[in-house]
Amino acid sequence: MTSSRNHQEAHGIGQIEEQLKQQADAADAIQGGNETDREIVKAANRDAHTSLDEIFDK
């Protein structure tokens, strides 16, 4: 049962991350981004593989 709960929690975290990304993208489209924001996004996407990805890969 613990494995199922952990999977559900990991899935929920992934959904939250996706929702936050969509909100950030929308704000950028509306307000226009700045160079610092673009550098942060670029750095975050450079190594997008996390320990959560290892859970989903199983």
Side-chain angles (χ1 to χ4, degrees):
M1 193 71 171
T2 302
S3 178
S4 177
R5 190 176 93 206
N6 289 343
H7 179 77
Q8 288 175 350
E9 289 174 0
H11 182 69
I13 291 170
Q15 288 178 326
I16 291 167
E17 289 174 340
E18 181 60 30
Q19 185 177 27
L20 290 173
K21 181 184 179 319
Q22 289 174 355
Q23 289 174 355
D25 290 346
D28 183 57
I30 293 167
Q31 300 172 353
N34 63 43
E35 185 62 28
T36 303
D37 290 340
R38 284 189 288 275
E39 290 297 319
I40 290 170
V41 168
K42 191 163 84 173
N45 290 329
R46 199 172 315 138
D47 184 16
H49 187 80
T50 67
S51 58
L52 286 177
D53 294 320
E54 293 174 16
I55 293 170
F56 288 118
D57 290 341
K58 291 183 180 182

